[in-house]
Amino acid sequence: MTTNTADTGDERFTLGLVHEVFALLDQHGYQRGPARAVGECYGLLQQLVTLYEGRDEGEHG
């Protein structure tokens, strides 16, 4: 999937990226929580990307 997520404005942050991270966690034996928890993980992944790149939390892209 290469669809740009509307809330980040960053063409690299796609549903495909989210799926790949979740698949990696699954592969390492982590079990998914309820849908609400998965939604929270999505927001945390956005924060991780921001911190990983050294960008300010208020910036996206």
Side-chain angles (χ1 to χ4, degrees), residues 3-15 17-19 21-22 25 37-61:
T3 305
N4 183 20
T5 56
D7 50 350
T8 66
D10 186 338
E11 293 179 6
R12 300 168 299 166
F13 195 96
T14 64
L15 293 177
L17 174 64
V18 174
H19 174 75
V21 170
F22 286 176
L25 291 170
V38 172
E40 289 177 23
C41 289
Y42 179 88
L44 290 171
L45 184 55
Q46 288 177 316
Q47 291 177 7
L48 174 63
V49 167
T50 298
L51 292 171
Y52 186 80
E53 291 195 325
R55 292 183 280 141
D56 183 67
E57 289 246 359
E59 296 177 14
H60 292 292

Side-chain angles (χ1 to χ4, degrees), residues 19-38:
H19 174 75
E20 289 176 12
V21 170
F22 286 176
L24 181 64
L25 291 170
D26 292 340
Q27 179 182 353
H28 283 269
Y30 294 95
Q31 300 206 2
R32 292 187 194 196
R36 183 179 143 266
V38 172

